[in-house]
Amino acid sequence: MADKPLGIAVIGAGRIGTLRARLAAKHPSVGFLAISDINLDKAKTLAETCNANFYSDNNEEVISRPEVNAVIVSTPEQLHAAPIKKALELGKPVLVEKPISFSLQEADEILEVLKRTNGKLNIGYSRRFKECYLRAKEQVLHQRLGKIIGGTARVYNSRAQAFSILKRDPHATPVVDVLTYYVDLMCWLLEDQATPVEIIARGQTGIFREAGFPIDDVTWAIITFSDGAVINLGISYALPERYPTLGQSDRLELLGLEGTMIIDDDHMDHILYSDRGVPHAYVPDHQVNMAFLGSNTAGDWACGDFWGPLGNETRSWLDALITGQPTMHTTPNQARINLETTLAIELAVRTGEAVRLPLPK
């Protein structure tokens, strides 16, 4: 691929697909861009925005175009499998949004096709591409913490964004769709050390169940890794509707035998108050008067370009297609571990019992 321009197909013209397409359109190695969405009007609108070469409401048609040699899958999570498999069967590298799927069976089917085709698949866990977590990984690589024996991470967001996600897909629970980022971060930071083997978790219900969604307002989990490290993960997407965060407000801590690392990512270092209101990047027609700037999970538009984790991640993937250099993207096997761990957290909440990994098939 290094000898010819990239031909990129973006499958899904929603919020993230739109960002990926606009970033691909600006990349110097992309010579062909195609857009697909089941809503043809959305595909057309995004194609016009990006000056794309082709658009359609037929995913297979777009993926099969001879000009296309790499595919970004940004469909809703339950629609990931078919375009991933189609692209892999045609020998085209794929970047798919997290999580890889909502079911282990479907994830295993994707991994089987990947193995059979000897293809290339990366999963978009964009928190890895935020500077604070890249710096954290660098310290771990230099072994400045020594052996990691424990840690914690928690993430908060407003119910306004939670309801927006759940209305899009009621299966996209805060644990499976968001806490998965922090399962991934912890497994990435400990990747040469251990993997999750046991989970204890508890949840508390309230506003979401009253609204008709069978999920918890608060979930806390204790994950034991294979070397004995104990990691505590927590999430609440039930904060008040007008809480100032525009995305994930999070904190991560690692405890090592020779060092400690604390990452404060709550974004209270840059606060804006405006009587005119601040638009929410994820929730249409939702504004707050006070905002934690920088808390938008994907990143921010500034001075005509998109900056932040999703921009870093997309550019890194496009660069790697040309150079062949490795990236920090989550591997398919790690994505499966992330999925299994989040499903186990929800199972532990439902049963009130400790859950051992791997889960029975």
Side-chain angles (χ1 to χ4, degrees), residues 13 34 121-122 124 174 182 195 199 234 248 273 284 286 319 356 358:
L121 174 63
N122 295 115
Y182 299 89
T195 56
I199 293 163
Q248 295 176 24
Y273 186 94
H286 180 68
D319 290 347
R356 297 288 299 182

Side-chain angles (χ1 to χ4, degrees), residues 253-272:
E253 303 174 9
L254 285 178
L255 308 174
L257 291 177
E258 300 173 64
T260 302
M261 184 158 48
I262 299 174
I263 302 169
D264 184 347
D265 200 31
D266 276 324
H267 309 289
M268 296 183 185
D269 58 333
H270 193 171
I271 297 174
L272 170 68

Side-chain angles (χ1 to χ4, degrees), residues 18-260:
T18 294
L19 289 174
R20 302 275 195 201
R22 293 181 68 178
L23 288 162
K26 297 184 70 169
H27 194 277
S29 294
V30 174
F32 183 89
L33 180 62
I35 309 294
S36 178
D37 194 279
I38 57 174
N39 183 324
L40 187 60
D41 288 339
K42 288 181 66 175
K44 179 181 179 182
T45 298
L46 180 54
E48 290 174 347
T49 299
C50 299
N51 197 26
N53 305 86
F54 182 77
Y55 69 90
S56 172
D57 59 359
N58 186 317
N59 291 345
E60 290 202 3
E61 179 185 16
V62 169
I63 294 169
S64 300
R65 291 278 304 200
E67 303 94 336
V68 169
N69 48 30
V71 177
I72 297 173
V73 177
S74 294
T75 64
E77 293 86 349
Q78 72 274 19
L79 301 177
H80 281 175
I84 293 173
K85 293 176 184 177
K86 181 65 176 180
L88 291 175
E89 295 281 5
L90 294 175
K92 302 180 181 185
V94 179
L95 172 64
V96 63
E97 310 302 339
K98 62 80 206 160
I100 188 172
S101 172
F102 281 151
S103 79
L104 289 175
Q105 178 180 347
E106 193 168 74
D108 287 338
E109 291 171 0
I110 292 170
L111 293 180
E112 188 280 325
V113 174
L114 179 66
K115 181 179 180 181
R116 175 167 51 81
T117 60
N118 194 30
K120 294 181 179 180
L121 174 63
N122 295 115
I123 292 77
Y125 279 86
S126 59
R127 303 306 274 175
R128 291 190 179 201
F129 290 83
K130 189 164 189 178
E131 285 84 351
C132 61
Y133 295 118
L134 286 166
R135 289 193 297 268
K137 180 64 174 179
E138 184 70 8
Q139 308 317 306
V140 172
L141 290 173
H142 285 286
Q143 300 182 339
R144 293 189 174 117
L145 276 68
K147 175 181 169 61
I148 296 170
I149 58 172
T152 185
R154 60 98 177 119
V155 56
Y156 296 149
N157 204 336
S158 74
R159 64 191 66 174
Q161 182 157 342
F163 280 126
S164 181
I165 295 170
L166 291 167
K167 289 174 184 176
R168 170 178 62 81
D169 189 336
H171 298 97
T173 67
V175 171
V176 175
D177 195 56
V178 180
L179 196 60
T180 184
Y181 279 117
Y182 299 89
V183 173
D184 181 69
L185 282 176
M186 287 300 190
C187 288
W188 181 47
L189 293 168
L190 275 69
E191 66 181 337
D192 294 328
Q193 183 175 311
T195 56
V197 295
E198 184 185 68
I199 293 163
I200 300 169
R202 296 292 184 269
Q204 172 71 330
T205 62
I207 63 165
F208 294 128
R209 289 184 188 270
E210 290 176 3
F213 298 102
I215 65 171
D216 296 323
D217 293 359
V218 176
T219 303
W220 293 97
I222 297 173
I223 303 175
T224 303
F225 280 67
S226 54
D227 69 341
V230 179
I231 302 294
N232 176 223
L233 299 180
I235 184 167
S236 177
Y237 261 43
L239 274 62
E241 184 179 42
R242 306 232 172 240
Y243 187 76
T245 188
L246 301 176
Q248 295 176 24
S249 288
D250 52 290
R251 184 180 178 95
L252 185 146
E253 303 174 9
L254 285 178
L255 308 174
L257 291 177
E258 300 173 64
T260 302

